[in-house]
């Protein structure tokens, strides 16, 4: 039996056992008042405040005993002075002064990089919003004229413009130029008619006759203006012929204008001089005096007659992103014949300039004069002007994938990624680069995967990198995180891991999922993925494909596609790789036509046996929970994420057990479309405090506090849509400070009600006070996402907009005395009860809540026929919510009850009471 010693300290032999083991031993025996120091030979001196009885064979190191204020090794009989350490080392007795040894701090061993720091303030401390930083990207202003060093005007052109300065500066002579002077003259004559009439009456003239003659003269003067207006509208302007550059052209006769013939001669002379300058290759004069064409597209607008020559811009010419806002070529110069003549002239000039090596001038002719910026971009790219081509392509709003490809090749990779994300142009840009520059395509694909990874979209990163075999090993960590998400994400991730050659642990987990040990959606997702991705191990592939066939037979198909031929093809691919004997015995999957309604998985609620107006009837838990529910959503994994206000956030299993808990105040959940991340929003009036939540790692990270009227409850993982005093503001959630990267509305425009947003569209009711109008205009605006292209604007009745629900696809649903009605079509919704309640909704779903005594009844749907009706017994008039996410519809009541069903109303997925336990 080992002797027991009273040890006041120990010497830890670090060179022998290692620093990690020595640290573990020191921490295991640590007491309040203990100390740790380092000896010159690398060993550690671990001292305790009081002696402890320790068996010698179980001591963490060489035991030390206290003798007259000093420390000595057990067994040494030599005298030791106070504050001194006496040890044996290599057969010699060594003395050390304890105070002179270097102290060690065990707190330096702690790694706090994965710990989230929460700074708590005093109770009642107001949350201070952070200012939003402006970061809205502006398209580049392209000035090809300045690049080509083309001056503004020639002396001859300046003299000609000075000579015509007395003429009107308006681009056309319309009814305003004729009727306005006539109206002024008529008003002056009427005001002076009475005194003049009195004067002429004294001379013997009758006043009535005088007034009649004045009125007749004014009527004749106005008639000429109105007749000229009608003639130009109807196109009945007489034409005469002329020639420019050997080509016959037509010009309108200005027989009603006093200077008509001289104007036509000036126009023809201008065209002849311009043609001669191009033909003689006097490029400087020709490009300075050339006029812009519209690319052959007039937008259905007529060519108006002009009294003046084409006028140049006063400042430097900068090609605008949208040339449609600029006036078209007018007068005889804008006629179809002249347009064709100038088009041929400009194209020959562009070819000649290109042959002469004058690339800038050739690009200017194509982009600015001909209105063909795509050809100018191709020309610049062909000559190695990639950055200039990218700038021109972005400024003229050409195809986003072309812009991304050019900026990537020009080295502006961050800019290319931002544009690709804003326009969802990663895939086409990679495809365009693959044929011309495979290495650049691989780099862009890797950047695409990294971008998805920063958004929290693990499977998106996998799908981006998977087509390139060299990038597949880089997504192993993303696949492991996707497995942690559960549900369909777990199934698809397991198939990819098996294709990469994962070990037995992954194989066993996949077999458990296929045998029914998890969510049914995850099982079918794994079976579907295995049909396209064989496992690297042939034995594992045969085992798992056989289990996938059995799962498909049990479920009556793969559940992913309504196309029977697609599911049959998947089954055949699995059958070829499965065990032949097992495949021969299995029947073909048969899809059941009757939808079975499952029971309540929790047992708190009841599933109705009948239907109400064609909608399935469900009953929620019959009594409230103990925690309030501010927002809730069922996730892909089958768990339910619940925001309980200042009681924090909980992740609940379908049976009500708590899987995770975060002590973070949250009144709203903003879920990413891919389901991997969420934003937890706590409201303090108009101040919103926002925290990031990673659902794969379950880590939280504070972000910011901002002032906003509304925060849209879904986002793409990075860009968050908010509504503030300036209109709609899109914020980048991956910046340290809230940064606005896009803005809509503003200038007196504001939104009414809530904004409906989905990955493909966004809809809002917009109220704007038009200039010159007393009442504000109310319209329904619809944008395509993610590029914010405005697709439609429809005028609304303000009474309809007061109580309406917008859907992300551009529809609007209102409630009235006769029921619910779509304003975009003559359709109505059949409700199970008289429509006296509250209308609310999500991005794609609507819900109508009616209350009878102490019971709330919610009817929900997405079209004209309700999908289901849910009853909440004992529910007061508090708020209710609806959310469609991850293939499930979640209803919640603030009293602590959550009900989730499938979209078709066939199955109850969760029926929970949220409690504090």
């Amino acid at each position: 039996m080992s002797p027991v010693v009273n040890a006041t300290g120990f010497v830890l032999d670090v060179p022998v056992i290692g620093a990690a083991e020595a640290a573990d031993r020191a921490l295991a025996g640590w007491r309040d008042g203990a100390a740790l120091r380092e000896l010159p030979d690398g060993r550690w001196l671990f001292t305790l405040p009081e002696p402890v009885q320790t068996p010698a064979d179980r001591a963490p190191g060489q035991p030390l005993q206290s003798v007259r204020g000093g420390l000595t090794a057990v067994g040494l009989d030599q005298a030791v002075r106070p504050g001194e350490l006496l040890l044996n080392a290599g057969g010699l007795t060594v003395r050390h002064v304890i105070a002179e040894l270097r102290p060690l701090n065990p707190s330096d061993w702690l790694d706090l990089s994965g710990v989230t720091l929460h700074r708590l303030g005093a109770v009642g401390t107001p949350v201070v919003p952070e200012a939003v930083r402006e970061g809205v990207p502006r398209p580049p202003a392209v000035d090809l004229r300045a690049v080509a060093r083309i001056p503004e005007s020639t002396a001859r052109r300046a003299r000609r413009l000075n000579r015509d300065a007395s003429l009107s500066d308006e681009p056309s002579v319309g009814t305003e130029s004729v009727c306005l002077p006539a109206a002024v003259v008529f008003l002056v004559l009427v005001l002076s008619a009475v005194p003049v009439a009195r004067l002429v009456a004294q001379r013997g003239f009758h006043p009535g006759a005088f007034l009649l003659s004045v009125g007749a003269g004014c009527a004749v003067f106005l008639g000429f203006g109105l007749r000229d207006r009608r003639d130009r509208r109807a196109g009945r302007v007489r034409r005469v012929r002329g020639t420019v550059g050997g080509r016959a052209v037509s010009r309108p006769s200005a027989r009603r204008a006093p200077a008509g013939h001289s104007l036509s001669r000036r126009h023809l002379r201008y065209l002849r001089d311009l043609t001669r300058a191009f033909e003689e290759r006097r490029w400087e004069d020709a490009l300075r005096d050339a006029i812009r064409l519209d690319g052959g597209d007039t937008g259905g607008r007529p060519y108006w007659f002009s009294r003046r020559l084409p006028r140049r811009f006063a400042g430097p010419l900068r090609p605008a992103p949208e040339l449609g806002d600029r006036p078209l070529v007018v007068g005889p110069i804008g006629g179809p014949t002249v347009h064709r003549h100038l088009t041929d002239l400009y194209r020959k000039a562009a070819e000649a300039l290109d042959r002469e090596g004058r690339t800038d001038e050739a690009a200017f002719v194509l982009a600015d004069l001909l209105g063909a910026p795509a050809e100018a971009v191709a020309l610049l790219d062909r000559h190695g002007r990639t950055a200039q081509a990218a700038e021109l392509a972005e400024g003229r709003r050409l195809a986003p994938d072309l812009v991304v490809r050019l900026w990537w090749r020009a080295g502006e990779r961050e800019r290319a990624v931002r544009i690709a994300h804003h326009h969802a142009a990663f895939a086409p840009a990679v495809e365009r680069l693959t044929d011309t520059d495979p290495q650049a395509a691989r780099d862009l694909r890797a950047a695409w995967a990294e971008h998805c990874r920063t958004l929290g979209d693990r499977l998106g990163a996998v799908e981006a990198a998977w087509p390139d075999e060299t990038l597949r090993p880089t997504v192993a960590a993303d696949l492991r995180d996707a497995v942690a998400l559960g549900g369909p994400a777990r199934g698809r991730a397991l198939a990819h891991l098996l294709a990469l050659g994962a070990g037995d642990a992954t194989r066993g987990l996949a077999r458990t999922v296929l045998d029914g040990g998890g969510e049914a959606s995850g099982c079918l997702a794994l079976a579907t993925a295995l049909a396209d991705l064989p496992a690297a191990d042939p034995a594992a592939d045969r085992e798992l494909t056989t289990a996938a066939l059995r799962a498909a037979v049990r479920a009556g198909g793969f559940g992913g596609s309504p196309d029977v031929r697609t599911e049959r093809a998947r089954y055949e691919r699995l059958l070829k790789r499965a065990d032949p004997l097992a495949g021969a015995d299995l029947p073909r999957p048969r899809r059941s036509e009757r939808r079975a309604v499952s029971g309540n998985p929790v047992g708190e609620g009841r599933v109705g046996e009948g239907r109400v107006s064609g909608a399935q009837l469900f009953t929620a838990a019959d009594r409230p929970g103990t925690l309030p529910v501010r927002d809730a959503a069922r996730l892909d994994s089958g768990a339910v994420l619940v925001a309980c206000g200042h009681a924090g956030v909980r992740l609940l299993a379908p049976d009500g057990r708590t899987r995770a808990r975060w002590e973070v105040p949250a009144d709203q959940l903003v879920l990413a479309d891919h389901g991997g991340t969420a934003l937890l929003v706590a409201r303090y009036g108009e101040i919103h405090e926002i925290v990031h939540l990673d659902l794969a790692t379950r880590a939280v990270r504070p972000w910011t506090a901002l002032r906003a009227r509304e925060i849209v409850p879904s986002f793409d993982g990075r860009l968050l849509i908010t509504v503030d005093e300036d209109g709609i503001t899109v914020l980048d959630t991956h910046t340290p400070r809230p940064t606005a990267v896009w803005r809509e509305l503003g200038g007196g425009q504001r939104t009414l009600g809530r904004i409906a947003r989905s990955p493909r569209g966004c809809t809002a009711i917009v109220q704007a006070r038009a200039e010159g109008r007393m009442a504000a205009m109310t319209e329904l605006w619809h944008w395509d996402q993610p590029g914010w292209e405005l697709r439609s604007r429809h005028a609304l009745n303000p009474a309809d907009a007061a109580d309406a629900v917008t859907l992300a696809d551009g529809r609007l649903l209102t409630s009235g005395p006769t029921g619910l009605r779509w304003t975009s079509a003559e359709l109505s919704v059949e409700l199970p009860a008289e429509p006296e309640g509250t209308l609310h909704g999500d991005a794609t779903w609507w819900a109508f809540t009616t209350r009878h005594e102490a019971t709330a009844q919610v009817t929900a749907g997405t079209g004209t026929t309700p999908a289901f009706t849910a009853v909440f017994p004992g529910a007061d008039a508090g708020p209710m919510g609806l959310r469609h996410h991850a293939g499930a519809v979640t209803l919640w009541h603030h009293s602590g009850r959550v009900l989730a069903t499938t979209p078709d109303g066939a199955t109850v997925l969760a029926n929970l009471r949220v409690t504090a336990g």
Side-chain angles (χ1 to χ4, degrees):
M1 183 174 180
S2 177
V4 177
V5 296
N6 288 331
T8 311
F10 303 93
V11 175
L12 307 180
D13 199 346
V14 178
V16 175
I17 64 177
E21 178 64 24
D24 290 340
R25 294 183 182 184
L27 293 178
W30 194 267
R31 303 286 190 277
D32 188 13
L36 192 65
R37 296 177 182 272
E38 185 178 11
L39 297 172
D41 57 2
R43 293 183 295 173
W44 290 354
L45 172 62
F46 178 41
T47 59
L48 299 173
E50 297 178 356
V52 294
Q53 292 185 351
T54 305
D57 59 345
R58 298 182 183 180
Q62 182 182 1
L64 302 175
Q65 59 184 0
S66 177
V67 178
R68 293 189 295 275
L71 294 176
T72 179
V74 176
L76 290 181
D77 55 358
Q78 298 184 21
V80 59
R81 291 187 292 271
E84 195 175 51
L85 173 65
L86 188 63
L87 294 175
N88 280 332
L92 300 177
T93 301
V94 181
R95 296 178 182 271
H96 300 281
V97 179
I98 298 176
E100 295 179 356
L101 299 177
R102 187 173 70 89
L104 299 177
N105 188 3
S107 63
D108 297 336
W109 305 337
L110 301 178
D111 183 11
L112 302 179
S113 59
V115 178
T116 302
L117 179 62
H118 296 279
R119 299 186 181 275
L120 302 180
V123 176
T125 302
V127 179
V128 180
E130 194 170 359
V132 177
R133 186 170 62 90
E134 288 296 331
V136 179
R138 298 183 179 276
V142 187
D143 190 357
L144 294 181
R145 179 174 291 277
V147 174
R149 298 179 181 179
I150 301 173
E152 285 302 309
S153 61
T154 60
R156 178 182 59 189
R157 178 64 177 164
R159 289 194 301 270
R160 188 175 300 171
L161 291 177
N162 292 333
R163 183 181 61 188
D164 298 335
S166 59
L167 299 176
S168 173
D169 287 338
E170 296 297 325
S172 63
V173 181
T175 58
E176 295 82 0
S177 61
V178 177
C179 296
L180 184 59
V184 174
V185 172
F186 179 73
L187 181 61
V188 172
L189 291 177
V190 170
L191 293 178
S192 61
V194 176
V196 173
R198 292 177 180 176
L199 178 62
V200 298
Q202 297 176 1
R203 300 300 182 93
F205 296 99
H206 196 278
F210 178 79
L211 292 176
L212 183 61
S213 62
V214 171
C218 292
V220 172
F221 192 74
L222 288 173
F224 276 110
L226 295 175
R227 181 179 176 185
D228 182 62
R229 170 185 172 183
R230 290 194 302 269
D231 288 346
R232 273 183 277 107
R233 280 190 173 182
R236 296 193 299 268
V237 181
R238 186 168 60 89
R239 299 257 171 195
V240 297
R241 305 292 295 181
T243 59
V244 175
R247 175 178 295 184
V249 297
S250 61
R251 55 181 173 85
S253 173
R255 55 186 177 84
R256 299 183 186 89
H261 293 287
S262 62
L263 283 173
S264 299
R265 286 194 297 270
R266 289 207 325 275
H267 287 144
L268 292 175
R269 185 170 62 251
Y270 168 79
L271 289 175
R272 292 193 185 100
D273 292 345
L274 183 64
T275 303
R276 189 179 300 112
F278 273 101
E279 291 176 347
E280 294 175 359
R281 297 194 176 186
R282 290 186 283 109
W283 301 124
E284 196 168 313
D285 291 338
L287 297 182
R288 281 179 297 179
D289 296 335
I291 60 175
R292 298 171 184 256
L293 301 180
D294 56 0
D297 181 15
T298 65
R301 289 168 287 181
Y303 295 101
W304 295 98
F305 177 67
S306 175
R307 286 179 175 270
R308 62 174 178 81
L309 291 174
R311 183 166 56 90
R312 305 295 297 274
F313 290 105
L317 293 178
R318 296 183 181 275
E322 296 181 0
L323 294 178
D325 295 336
R326 299 187 178 186
L328 296 178
V329 181
V330 294
I333 302 179
T337 305
V338 177
H339 191 283
R340 289 194 298 270
H341 167 72
L342 292 179
T343 300
D344 296 341
L345 196 66
Y346 292 165
R347 288 208 171 273
K348 293 178 181 178
E351 295 174 0
L353 289 169
D354 188 17
R355 288 193 299 269
E356 295 177 9
R358 306 178 69 166
T359 306
D360 294 324
E361 290 91 335
F364 171 77
V365 172
L366 291 173
D368 276 25
L369 300 185
L370 277 172
E375 299 181 27
V377 168
L379 174 68
L380 293 171
D381 190 23
R382 189 169 64 251
H383 286 279
R385 309 281 188 88
T386 308
Q388 189 178 356
E391 186 176 342
L392 178 61
E394 183 182 358
R396 293 296 177 86
R397 296 185 181 179
L398 299 184
D401 58 325
L402 173 63
V403 179
V404 172
R405 178 177 64 90
L406 291 172
W407 279 125
W408 187 265
R409 293 180 54 222
E412 296 283 345
R413 302 202 164 183
E414 183 179 353
R415 191 172 189 172
V417 170
R418 186 185 68 244
I419 296 173
H421 171 64
H422 183 71
H423 296 281
F426 276 109
V430 169
E431 292 298 325
R432 293 189 67 160
L433 273 175
T434 302
D435 297 334
T436 58
D437 193 344
Q439 183 58 43
R442 181 177 295 108
D443 294 340
L444 180 56
R445 187 180 291 278
W448 180 12
E450 180 61 28
H451 176 73
C452 294
R453 195 172 293 116
T454 59
L455 299 183
D457 187 4
R458 273 76 176 188
L459 287 181
V462 174
E463 293 173 357
W466 196 261
D468 193 325
E469 294 185 1
T470 61
L471 298 178
R472 292 180 181 179
T474 63
V475 298
D478 301 306
L479 291 171
R480 288 193 293 269
D481 289 342
V483 170
L485 288 174
R490 170 183 291 178
R492 293 194 292 269
L494 286 174
H496 285 84
L497 285 172
L498 291 168
L500 289 176
D504 294 336
T506 304
R507 177 179 177 179
L509 179 58
R511 182 59 187 266
T512 302
V513 172
L514 290 173
D515 290 342
E519 288 291 319
S521 58
C523 172
L524 296 180
L526 176 56
T528 302
L530 285 173
D532 301 322
L533 289 174
D537 184 2
D541 185 63
R542 173 170 294 190
E543 175 188 355
L544 294 176
T545 51
T546 305
L549 286 177
R550 295 193 180 99
V553 172
R554 288 196 308 266
F558 294 90
S561 173
D563 187 3
V564 178
R565 291 178 297 179
T566 301
E567 296 206 348
R568 185 182 299 117
R570 288 172 181 164
Y571 188 86
E572 294 294 337
R573 289 196 296 270
L574 289 174
L575 189 61
K576 291 179 180 179
R577 292 153 39 206
D579 185 354
L581 296 178
D585 294 337
L586 288 174
R588 296 281 178 172
R590 293 183 179 180
R591 186 175 304 176
S592 177
E593 298 295 336
R594 184 180 61 87
R595 299 183 304 178
V597 180
S598 70
N600 180 5
V602 182
E604 292 286 355
R606 302 183 303 274
V607 179
E609 297 295 336
R611 293 176 179 268
V612 180
S613 298
Q616 187 67 44
L617 177 63
F618 302 118
T619 303
D622 57 359
R623 65 184 188 277
T626 59
L627 290 179
V629 175
R630 308 297 186 190
D631 200 353
R634 183 185 182 272
L635 307 179
D636 275 325
S637 62
V640 180
L641 188 66
V642 182
C644 301
H646 287 275
V649 181
R650 282 165 169 74
L651 185 66
L652 305 179
D655 58 1
R657 292 176 299 172
T658 301
R659 290 184 177 177
R661 178 187 302 175
W662 299 271
E663 300 301 328
V664 178
D667 300 300
Q668 181 184 4
L669 302 174
V670 181
L671 296 176
D673 298 327
H674 51 74
T677 59
L679 300 179
L680 310 180
V681 182
R683 300 192 189 98
Y684 303 92
E686 287 193 355
I687 309 301
H688 297 73
E689 193 171 19
I690 305 177
V691 175
H692 281 275
L693 170 61
D694 191 326
L695 292 171
T697 62
R698 298 182 180 178
V700 294
R701 174 175 58 87
W703 179 46
T704 188
L706 56 91
R707 184 184 300 275
R709 286 171 42 203
E710 178 191 353
I711 294 181
V712 177
S714 66
F715 73 131
D716 64 354
R718 180 165 190 164
L719 301 182
L720 176 66
I721 301 176
T722 65
V723 179
D724 53 21
E725 297 300 330
D726 297 328
I728 298 176
T729 304
V730 182
L731 302 178
D732 189 349
T733 61
H734 285 204
T735 55
R737 292 179 51 192
T739 304
V741 298
W742 193 264
R743 289 190 181 273
E744 285 286 334
L745 306 182
Q749 298 170 332
R750 65 187 185 94
T751 60
L752 299 178
R754 299 187 63 181
I755 297 178
R757 181 256 171 207
S758 71
R760 297 181 177 273
C762 184
T763 306
I765 301 175
V766 179
Q767 188 180 65
R769 187 171 297 278
E771 187 176 350
R773 292 178 178 264
M774 296 297 295
M777 297 179 60
T778 304
E779 296 178 329
L780 182 67
W781 289 33
H782 176 66
W783 297 267
D784 283 349
Q785 292 294 323
W788 284 97
E789 291 88 3
L790 183 61
R791 289 303 180 190
S792 63
R793 292 176 59 177
H794 299 292
L796 295 178
N797 186 351
D800 293 338
D803 185 14
V805 167
T806 57
L807 299 184
D809 57 3
R811 293 180 295 167
L812 185 72
L813 187 65
T814 62
S815 62
T818 60
L820 304 185
R821 180 175 60 88
W822 299 104
T823 58
S824 58
E826 296 297 329
L827 297 174
S828 60
V829 179
E830 300 177 2
L831 293 178
E834 292 297 327
E836 294 181 359
T838 305
L839 181 63
H840 53 100
D842 192 37
T844 56
W845 276 69
W846 57 264
F848 191 76
T849 303
T850 57
R851 302 183 187 276
H852 304 280
E853 298 178 353
T855 300
Q857 181 171 296
V858 184
T859 301
T862 185
T864 58
T865 302
F868 62 87
T869 298
V871 177
F872 288 79
D876 55 17
M880 298 194 65
L882 168 76
R883 184 187 290 270
H884 178 224
H885 178 76
V889 180
T890 306
L891 292 170
W892 55 264
H893 188 263
H894 82 105
S895 62
R897 286 173 285 184
V898 180
L899 177 67
T901 73
T902 54
D904 57 4
T907 306
V908 174
L909 301 175
N911 195 356
L912 308 176
R913 290 178 61 248
V914 183
T915 60

